[in-house]
Amino acid sequence: MPQLFSRMDDMNWLTPSIADILDQGAAPPGGDGSIREQTQLLQQKLAELDTPARILNVRNTPSYTLFIARPETVGRLGNRRQVTPNEIKRSIGQIAEENKTWRLGFLPQIQEQADTIGILLRTEEHQALSLRRMLVRGNYRDHPSTLAIAIGNTLEQRLIVQDLAEVGSLMVIGAEGAKSHFIRATLLTLTALNTPGELRFAIIGDNADAYKTFAAAPHALGRLLTAPDDARRLLDGLMKELQRRQQWFADERANDLTAYNAAMKRQNKPSVPRILLLIDSLSNPDWQEARDTWIPTVTELVRSGSTYGLHLVLTANQMQAPDVPGALAPLISLYVVLRSAATSYVERLKNFHPSLTRFVDAFVVDSSGDDITPVELCSVSEQEVQNTVSYWKEAATKRKQESQMAQVSGRTGLTGMLEAPAVLFNPAPSPATPPVPERPTTDALNRAAQALSRSEPRAEVTLQQAQALATYLGWIGIGPLQDILGMSAEEAKKTLLVLRTMGIVESNNSPTPRFLRALDMDNHKG
């Protein structure tokens, strides 16, 4: 379940407390007695217009106040009738005309009270909801999944919560500004409440730079990729990871990630993390031009990935093709359609007066397009993002100091695909003339292979592969040896030790030693 206080995972990562990283946000208005005055004035005006209604309850937020009212009766004795919602709606329009500074909205029915109506009044200093105020709500706080995300508040102030583990992948439709607000809140929620051992993410697409602050967190698999040609290699890597996980799950007879990681825990093996891939945006002209190269892969990842812990968040400008490919659309179970792209949904909503549009930011839509829920989104500040990333960076630094070999997470299959050496580590300044290690002898190479042979039957081949990998990356570490060469943690540690002894990589305590030189393998064959 989401833990709003600190908790420790199986790899000894400690999550932050949300009180330490998230702001309270703006407080709802009304402490000065203004809401009481507004209540009295509304009741008085409705009575003067012969559509009396008694206000039973008031719900206030930083952006608007909801007055819940029950229509009363009018007419002479023996011929009295109850005022209809349509009559009150007309009166609300007249009140708005008389009070130009008021921004009013009308709800024909409150969901939990069939005989009541709602009157919305936007606050003079309109403030967005804070993420913290959403996360402390009961239906989020009591949710059983750490992948739960608070989508937004309905007009009746009911919080909409969705579990990414259940919906698998989601699509965000709309213009850039509001879209980035929603995605930032989603990334912040998942990053704050999940450790790097539980969740890793990658960000690709032409708008990836909008989330560059998140790339510094240890959850991130590496640098941001904007061009589709660069992203295609990552997508191919995710497909291979999906195939590997399908085999691993089959070997353990596990039906989902939770069952598989439980099996790993029983065997004292590291669990594998969930991987979240954000692609922003599919509507970019370069991505559209290369659509044939990514549509099949993305479609398969959306169709099959969630069972194995691979989730996608996709964005597009419009719901229609070609922005959202026809093969992909029915596989997405959850859409968040921002107000700028939601005209067709507004027209299909029952009991949704046009005046309400100013009170919502988006519409939550299911795959059929029939279940449509208007919501107000929250906003997160850059400082909140910085607080979260700084917390995790400090945690990663402390972890490295305590154990040079400590892993960020279990295998992801993507180590190195998003990384450049400058991104992975910040090496100490090198001397003007770096030391040149002595060329190892054939006997030294044979001894190294024999040292590995206790755990790897084809040790010499494995050592050559590790050397080639270090040459290609310009560095080496436990992660690439496990993810790319399939070594166990123990084998990877031994291989690193041998590579240091052979002078192939620098001999220091860095978890990612730099490549120094390659052996001429032709001169050292048995």
Side-chain angles (χ1 to χ4, degrees), residues 8 11-12 394-406:
M8 184 172 288
M11 297 189 70
N12 297 321
E394 291 174 6
T397 300
K398 182 178 180 181
R399 186 181 181 87
K400 183 185 295 185
Q401 292 170 346
E402 292 174 350
S403 174
Q404 292 289 345
M405 293 298 184

Side-chain angles (χ1 to χ4, degrees), residues 13 16 20-22 184 187-189 191-192 196 201 203 211-220 381-397:
W13 286 101
D20 296 332
I21 58 174
L22 299 183
R184 280 161 58 88
L187 285 176
L188 183 54
T189 301
T191 303
F201 64 76
I203 304 173
Y211 316 104
K212 60 184 178 182
T213 305
F214 287 99
H219 300 71
S381 67
E382 182 61 25
Q383 186 60 54
E384 289 175 303
V385 176
Q386 289 282 5
N387 290 346
T388 305
V389 172
S390 296
Y391 171 87
W392 285 116
K393 287 173 66 176
E394 291 174 6
T397 300

Side-chain angles (χ1 to χ4, degrees), residues 52-56 68-72 82 88 113 115-117:
R54 182 186 176 193
I55 295 177
L56 306 175
I68 299 175
R70 177 178 289 120
E72 297 190 330
Q82 192 172 46
I88 294 180
Q113 293 176 272
D115 60 343
T116 58
I117 57 96

Side-chain angles (χ1 to χ4, degrees), residues 180-328:
S180 65
H181 281 306
F182 173 74
I183 292 174
R184 280 161 58 88
T186 299
L187 285 176
L188 183 54
T189 301
L190 295 174
T191 303
L193 300 180
N194 291 271
T195 72
E198 296 166 333
L199 177 72
R200 307 293 299 277
F201 64 76
I203 304 173
I204 62 178
D206 60 303
N207 298 318
D209 286 341
Y211 316 104
K212 60 184 178 182
T213 305
F214 287 99
H219 300 71
L221 286 165
R223 62 192 176 95
L224 312 175
L225 301 178
T226 57
D229 287 344
D230 294 332
R232 187 170 61 247
R233 179 167 166 253
L234 175 69
L235 289 170
D236 291 343
L238 266 179
M239 272 300 298
K240 292 178 181 177
E241 177 66 5
L242 172 60
Q243 293 162 1
R244 282 192 290 267
R245 291 193 179 194
Q246 287 171 334
Q247 185 59 55
W248 297 341
F249 283 34
D251 293 343
E252 297 295 334
R253 298 181 179 179
N255 295 324
D256 55 25
L257 185 73
T258 301
Y260 177 78
N261 281 340
M264 293 298 97
K265 186 175 182 179
R266 289 193 296 270
Q267 299 172 37
N268 293 320
K269 295 180 180 179
S271 59
V272 296
R274 292 185 184 272
I275 298 176
L276 176 69
L277 175 64
L278 167 62
I279 306 179
D280 186 11
S281 142
L282 302 182
S283 300
N284 175 261
D286 291 339
W287 278 73
Q288 285 295 313
E289 186 176 347
R291 56 190 286 113
D292 292 341
T293 66
W294 57 261
I295 286 178
T297 305
V298 170
T299 301
E300 182 56 30
L301 289 171
V302 170
R303 177 186 291 112
S304 307
S306 61
T307 299
Y308 303 94
L310 308 179
H311 306 275
L312 277 70
V313 175
L314 312 170
T315 78
N317 294 344
Q318 303 178 64
M319 180 69 85
Q320 298 81 9
D323 289 32
V324 179
L328 186 60

Side-chain angles (χ1 to χ4, degrees), residues 439-442 445 460 464 467 471 504 517-525:
R439 178 180 291 274
T441 65
T442 303
L445 181 61
E460 185 171 350
Q464 292 179 25
Q467 173 198 320
T471 307
I504 294 170
R517 66 176 302 161
L519 288 172
D520 183 0
M521 299 306 297
D522 290 336
N523 294 334
H524 298 289
K525 292 181 179 178

Side-chain angles (χ1 to χ4, degrees), residues 93-105:
Q94 189 169 337
I95 294 172
E97 286 293 324
E98 296 174 0
N99 297 270
K100 297 295 186 182
T101 60
W102 284 19
R103 296 292 181 266
L104 292 167

Side-chain angles (χ1 to χ4, degrees), residues 310-433:
L310 308 179
H311 306 275
L312 277 70
V313 175
L314 312 170
T315 78
N317 294 344
Q318 303 178 64
M319 180 69 85
Q320 298 81 9
D323 289 32
V324 179
L328 186 60
L331 300 176
I332 302 290
S333 61
L334 180 66
Y335 289 87
V336 177
V337 184
L338 301 168
R339 186 171 56 194
S340 60
T343 303
S344 62
Y345 294 104
V346 173
E347 295 171 349
R348 292 162 56 186
L349 275 172
K350 296 180 180 179
N351 298 325
F352 188 84
H353 191 265
S355 63
L356 297 174
T357 306
R358 66 169 67 97
F359 293 92
V360 298
D361 303 304
F363 297 80
V364 182
V365 185
D366 69 355
S367 56
S368 69
D370 296 329
D371 188 358
I372 307 170
T373 305
V375 294
E376 179 187 13
L377 302 177
C378 74
S379 178
V380 298
S381 67
E382 182 61 25
Q383 186 60 54
E384 289 175 303
V385 176
Q386 289 282 5
N387 290 346
T388 305
V389 172
S390 296
Y391 171 87
W392 285 116
K393 287 173 66 176
E394 291 174 6
T397 300
K398 182 178 180 181
R399 186 181 181 87
K400 183 185 295 185
Q401 292 170 346
E402 292 174 350
S403 174
Q404 292 289 345
M405 293 298 184
Q407 296 173 266
V408 174
S409 71
R411 291 177 289 180
T412 67
L414 299 179
T415 302
M417 289 190 177
L418 283 160
E419 305 284 12
V423 176
L424 273 173
F425 66 103
N426 297 314
S430 302
T433 305

